[in-house]
Amino acid sequence: MSDSSLPQRPLDQTVFDEWPDAVRALFDGSSLASKTGFTASLLTVDANQHIRTSLLGIGELYAPDSRTLCIALWPQARAARAIAQSGRAALTFVFEEKFYQVQLLAAPLPAAEGDDSGLVYMNCSIESAESQSVRYARLTSGITFELEGGKGQVLDRWERQIEHVKRAAARA
């Protein structure tokens, strides 16, 4: 006997190999001030086979096309070392009431001319990806943050970072 009050298929899952339009717009490098608070988890595996998580803001992510994501990282970050070693990462985030998990193949991206930020860039392609939601509950947020003192300085840095990564991506 089945309970008719339960949804027949509680999990809605979508598999994709190109960014959905709304996600691509999120990562388009524009209107960063209106996208502050968004956080993605970058998952990597280090040399000791430990899973590591790095939290990235919208000023560190740029999608130059429908199948690519460029990531800006500090060179001393564990994620930068792990990606350089394995060429792989996963990005997870919540957006528009869905949970996204994206498996990425990554390669170093040369810095753009005139970039003195000290950041390293990764050019990532979507290997496989999926979004999930459930009908009985609504995801309202994932990990979010609020910029405190120096908000203008952070936004200025993000604008410069995104411009550098855009130029680096255009050269790739």
Side-chain angles (χ1 to χ4, degrees), residues 94-136:
V94 172
F95 182 65
E96 293 188 337
E97 301 180 2
K98 294 180 182 178
F99 173 75
Y100 288 83
Q101 184 169 20
V102 183
Q103 301 295 321
L104 299 168
L105 298 175
L109 185 62
E113 187 175 318
D115 179 359
D116 60 357
S117 68
L119 296 170
V120 295
Y121 304 112
M122 300 294 169
N123 191 43
C124 305
S125 59
I126 297 173
E127 180 182 34
S128 65
E130 62 184 45
S131 66
Q132 299 176 0
S133 62
V134 292
R135 294 183 183 147
Y136 58 84

Side-chain angles (χ1 to χ4, degrees), residues 6-167:
L6 294 176
Q8 293 298 317
R9 200 170 155 241
L11 177 67
D12 287 327
Q13 184 176 24
T14 302
V15 176
F16 59 92
D17 61 2
E18 291 188 24
W19 295 116
D21 290 341
V23 176
R24 175 105 189 270
L26 176 67
F27 297 145
D28 70 0
S30 69
S31 305
L32 297 179
S34 69
K35 299 172 185 176
T36 61
F38 172 85
T39 307
S41 296
L42 183 68
L43 303 162
T44 57
V45 178
D46 69 15
N48 295 321
Q49 301 303 299
H50 294 131
I51 297 170
R52 302 293 184 180
T53 302
S54 299
L55 300 179
L56 302 178
I58 200 65
E60 296 153 327
L61 303 164
Y62 170 64
D65 60 54
S66 65
R67 294 177 184 260
T68 306
L69 183 68
C70 296
I71 300 172
L73 298 168
W74 295 106
Q76 67 274 21
R78 291 183 297 196
R81 291 189 305 270
I83 293 171
Q85 181 182 41
S86 71
R88 303 180 61 83
L91 190 76
T92 63
F93 56 93
V94 172
F95 182 65
E96 293 188 337
E97 301 180 2
K98 294 180 182 178
F99 173 75
Y100 288 83
Q101 184 169 20
V102 183
Q103 301 295 321
L104 299 168
L105 298 175
L109 185 62
E113 187 175 318
D115 179 359
D116 60 357
S117 68
L119 296 170
V120 295
Y121 304 112
M122 300 294 169
N123 191 43
C124 305
S125 59
I126 297 173
E127 180 182 34
S128 65
E130 62 184 45
S131 66
Q132 299 176 0
S133 62
V134 292
R135 294 183 183 147
Y136 58 84
R138 188 171 60 87
L139 285 173
T140 57
S141 69
I143 299 169
T144 58
F145 68 92
E146 201 173 291
L147 291 174
E148 304 232 342
K151 179 179 180 177
Q153 292 173 329
V154 172
L155 288 171
D156 288 345
R157 179 173 50 87
W158 280 0
E159 293 285 347
R160 287 190 308 275
Q161 284 176 197
I162 290 296
E163 285 309 311
H164 291 309
V165 78
K166 281 180 180 180
R167 289 198 323 262

